[in-house]
Amino acid sequence: MVRRLAVLLAAAVILSGSTEQRLFAVKAVAAGVPSLAPFFEEDGSLGTDETKLRPEQAHSGLQQGNTPGLYGGTQKPKVCDVDRLKDFLTDPRNRQKAREWARIVGITPDQIEGYIDDLTPVLLRHDTLVKNHDYKKGKAVAFDALLEAGIAVLVNDQGLPAVKCSCGNPLQSFDKDPEKISVKFEDGNKKWDGYEKSDVVTVKPSPQPLEQIALIDVDDPDQGINRPVGSSGENDEPFDATKQHAVPRVTGMTFDQASQRLSELGLAAMSSDGLPSGDAAVTGSDPGPGTELRFGEAVILSVADDGEEPGTPPKSDPSKEPSTDDPTSGEPTTVGPTTDEPTTDDPSTSDPTTEDPDTGDPSSSEPTTDRPTTGEPTTSEPTTAVPTTPTTSSTPPTVEPTSAEPTSAEPTSADPTSVEPTRSEPVTSEPASSEPGSSGAPASAEPAAGPA
């Protein structure tokens, strides 16, 4: 019995460890190596890879499809033969393949021609993770793949790889954690020169549909190529990739807006924490505005925390913030008279540092003084009311509507939500909560609580 328990315990430990260490198997696909079960026979007639192209070091493991220089181009003809691919998939003899191909892409078979016409041939400049598809026994079979730099692909108007040119296999975005992959080099796909797991790239959709793709000429890296989406090179416009561009001011934009602006100037956008949400507010850039950068170089964008507006001061130390349950805090909590506060009905004067966008709603019974730990990062009430009004704990009934204390007007002037022009107007949000000695403190701290 003891022996069995020991074996079971050991097995449990092994299984627990294997669960924590679980990795996703990814099949390496080398440039120029034929697939074992492709949609289209890889005889070189559909597309050719650039087998001598070494992977570039990536700015980040996550790249948006509009990143300038993410892909490469060449003046060589027919890297991808788009017309031949259309003829193959619309041939009645390949009806089953066309049906499966369209299913993976998310269209109907009769939409194949139009869909392919909107794709653009490029060369991968980075080892890129995708979901690839073989064709086996009449079905499309998905598998996670790492495509070597130099492989020719067709990308859609979001900059996402959509078709592997040499075999016609449809591609989809990689949907697993790229930090938890195990790359398998097998079936003739040997580890290639320049492979580094840290430089593997996953492509995310461009914030806006692309009209053209800014490529680097793989035969001359100092030369760039602007290729209109849906063209195969016949309308390429070359440009000088060594020309420098000044970093624009992007503070106050969303991440997507800043990314789009940088892309228009030939600069890449990235964040130190991967790709934030597209509506995250940009609070700064590194390097800053006016810095000259070469085409394709990256600008690191700093973004605000969720719900935080650009320019919001850092939150105050929670250890210095009073609890809303502490009657000595001098702050009204759930006491009824706070609904009589006349200064909360003008949203235009609400505290810009608060994280609650509804503080200007006159129906709200909890103005900005209700959330000391989140809505008032630098307001004076939480820090001055506690030490200067220790006796307020004995005066919780803030229902006194007609306090004549001049000190009750002072907090209103310190409160950026107030619309009262003078200090003589009594306010019932903090009746008798401050003694005369504390009335000056909030006012003196007012500059720190204003809009940043």
Side-chain angles (χ1 to χ4, degrees), residues 269-331:
M270 62 173 291
S271 171
S272 57
D273 296 326
L275 285 180
S277 62
D279 59 356
V282 176
T283 58
S285 66
D286 182 19
T291 306
E292 298 282 335
L293 296 178
R294 176 172 166 156
F295 173 84
E297 290 194 84
V299 177
I300 302 175
L301 301 178
S302 301
V303 297
D305 294 334
D306 291 343
E308 186 177 334
E309 295 296 330
T312 302
K315 295 180 176 63
S316 56
D317 187 351
S319 64
K320 298 179 182 179
E321 297 286 352
S323 169
T324 56
D325 295 329
D326 184 2
T328 65
S329 65
E331 296 291 311

Side-chain angles (χ1 to χ4, degrees), residues 71-143:
Y71 300 115
T74 179
Q75 302 297 326
K76 297 177 182 178
K78 299 298 182 184
V79 170
C80 289
D81 194 331
V82 176
D83 291 333
R84 189 175 179 85
L85 177 61
K86 287 193 298 184
D87 291 342
F88 175 80
L89 290 173
T90 55
D91 190 324
R93 293 173 296 180
N94 299 319
R95 184 175 298 134
Q96 180 59 25
K97 284 187 176 181
R99 186 179 293 112
E100 284 296 291
W101 196 94
R103 179 180 65 83
I104 297 302
V105 172
I107 59 176
T108 60
D110 59 356
Q111 294 175 316
I112 287 177
E113 284 191 82
Y115 174 81
I116 293 178
D117 283 337
D118 291 334
L119 302 180
T120 310
V122 300
L123 294 170
L124 298 179
R125 296 185 68 228
H126 306 277
D127 295 340
T128 305
L129 288 167
V130 297
K131 180 173 287 187
N132 200 349
H133 298 81
D134 276 337
Y135 184 78
K136 298 178 179 179
K137 299 180 180 180
K139 295 291 183 181
V141 180
F143 65 96

Side-chain angles (χ1 to χ4, degrees), residues 190-257:
K190 298 180 180 179
K191 186 177 294 186
W192 47 80
D193 290 340
Y195 167 74
E196 291 289 343
K197 186 177 179 180
S198 59
D199 288 333
V200 168
V201 161
T202 302
V203 184
K204 299 298 182 182
S206 168
Q208 297 180 11
L210 301 174
E211 295 183 359
Q212 64 180 12
I213 302 176
L215 310 173
I216 285 290
D217 191 329
V218 296
D219 300 314
D220 181 6
D222 290 339
Q223 182 94 349
I225 301 172
N226 278 325
R227 178 168 295 172
V229 169
S231 67
S232 298
E234 63 276 7
N235 298 318
D236 285 355
E237 294 183 0
F239 64 87
D240 183 4
T242 65
K243 183 178 179 180
Q244 294 191 328
H245 302 270
V247 176
R249 185 174 297 279
V250 294
T251 299
M253 298 182 180
T254 66
F255 185 85
D256 278 354
Q257 290 171 340

Side-chain angles (χ1 to χ4, degrees), residues 421-439:
T422 67
R423 302 188 180 189
S424 61
E425 179 71 19
V427 180
T428 60
S429 62
E430 294 181 20
S433 61
S434 302
E435 295 183 2
S438 65
S439 61

